[in-house]
Amino acid sequence: MDIHVLTLFPELFPGPLAVSVTGRALKQGLLRLHVRNIRDFAHDRHQVCDDYAYGGGPGMVMKPEPVAEAVEAAKATLGEKADQAPIVLLTPQGRPFTQKVGQELARSPALVLICGHYEGVDERVRERVATDEISIGDYVLTGGELAALVVIDAVARHVPGVLGNEESAATDSFAGGLLQYPQYTRPADYRGWLVPDVLLSGNHAEIARWRRHQSLLRTLLRRPDLLPRAELTKEDLRFLNEHGWAPQGP
Ligand code: 6GU
């Protein structure tokens, strides 16, 4: 997958993406990161990329020309893939980024990520250049760069071959819309802090049932908002009902 990042701060990339799972994916060429400085597309000698807001008010706005032309430069290198590549503006006003959005973006052969700054990006970029807008949560970051790093990491996990063990993505928290069950490793007894017996039993059916119940209970206690959209069996619903949860009917 080719990921193009357009930013005023290219020195922030690859940053944390250079290590661990994403670092290996970059080295193997499963992910290719192309970083462009938006400033290189400024029209004036001083490479100014921001200006005062029409209508007044505090804060600066990112000028449209450098952003639009940086996107055009990125698309020009994409060839066949250009028409299939989402042009994503990272902004707190975007649609909420979720595991599902990450999976969806991972199906594209290429992505173009625009990192917004200042009080925002000229509205014409949003309307006529971006094809998608994403926010990573309900708080304000100084710029879209940290959000882009988050999106790239979460998307990379869904690119075939990036996770060594293809099962990991399927058992992650949020797979099936539930939180992950508790995990333990050796030693079985650390200072008298014991690993649950069932996990030492070797009974794989019992272990699978226990884990499913733990996922359901943990989601019920911590994130009940996830349950109405989770993939639940009749057995899951029965278990949740026993623990006091009932789906909200119309
Ligand atoms: Cl994508 N950008 C900025 N600047 N702030 C954010 C965000 C994005 N998502 C949450 N807060």
Side-chain angles (χ1 to χ4, degrees):
M1 165 178 250
D2 283 285
I3 303 180
H4 292 253
V5 178
L6 313 180
T7 171
L8 291 167
F9 299 96
E11 63 273 27
L12 292 172
F13 297 87
L17 300 174
V19 303
S20 186
V21 167
T22 48
R24 193 184 60 211
L26 287 168
K27 283 188 198 107
Q28 291 179 339
L30 295 168
L31 288 183
R32 287 173 299 273
L33 194 61
H34 313 271
V35 181
R36 272 197 170 63
N37 193 338
I38 292 170
R39 202 168 292 286
D40 294 343
F41 298 86
H43 284 191
D44 67 306
R45 206 162 53 83
H46 299 289
Q47 299 191 293
V48 173
C49 288
D50 62 333
D51 205 342
Y52 299 98
Y54 274 121
M60 303 296 276
V61 177
M62 263 169 97
K63 291 167 66 60
E65 318 89 300
V67 179
E69 287 162 42
V71 170
E72 280 156 13
K75 284 181 85 169
T77 69
L78 284 176
E80 308 261 275
K81 299 178 181 175
D83 297 326
Q84 300 170 62
I87 314 292
V88 181
L89 177 62
L90 293 155
T91 163
Q93 292 152 41
R95 63 177 172 139
F97 187 65
T98 60
Q99 188 75 351
K100 186 164 154 224
V101 174
Q103 281 164 4
E104 176 192 312
L105 293 178
R107 287 195 286 272
S108 313
L111 291 181
V112 180
L113 303 178
I114 306 170
C115 302
H117 252 270
Y118 311 114
E119 289 307 292
V121 176
D122 187 284
E123 184 70 4
R124 291 164 290 184
V125 167
R126 191 190 68 72
E127 287 177 342
R128 299 178 187 267
V129 179
T131 62
D132 197 355
E133 296 171 67
I134 285 176
S135 163
I136 64 161
D138 294 340
Y139 41 80
V140 178
L141 301 170
T142 305
E145 285 78 10
L146 293 179
L149 291 167
V150 166
V151 167
I152 294 166
D153 185 297
V155 167
R157 299 172 59 77
H158 299 291
V159 172
V162 167
L163 293 182
N165 176 357
E166 281 309 306
E167 265 188 41
S168 309
T171 63
D172 269 348
S173 274
F174 298 116
L178 295 174
L179 300 185
Q180 204 194 34
Y181 48 79
Q183 296 274 33
Y184 298 87
T185 187
R186 292 187 290 181
D189 180 348
Y190 174 59
R191 302 180 175 175
W193 306 344
L194 301 180
V195 171
D197 275 337
V198 58
L199 296 178
L200 311 177
S201 69
N203 183 334
H204 296 295
E206 269 296 306
I207 290 169
R209 224 165 71 92
W210 180 85
R211 285 179 165 169
R212 187 69 184 175
H213 288 171
Q214 290 295 315
S215 274
L216 291 164
L217 284 176
R218 189 162 272 202
T219 308
L220 178 60
L221 285 172
R222 300 183 183 191
R223 293 294 308 278
D225 59 298
L226 296 176
L227 287 174
R229 276 168 295 144
E231 293 167 27
L232 301 173
T233 65
K234 284 206 183 93
E235 176 59 27
D236 293 335
L237 287 169
R238 205 179 53 75
F239 180 80
L240 286 168
N241 289 342
E242 283 170 9
H243 289 84
W245 184 77
Q248 301 298 304

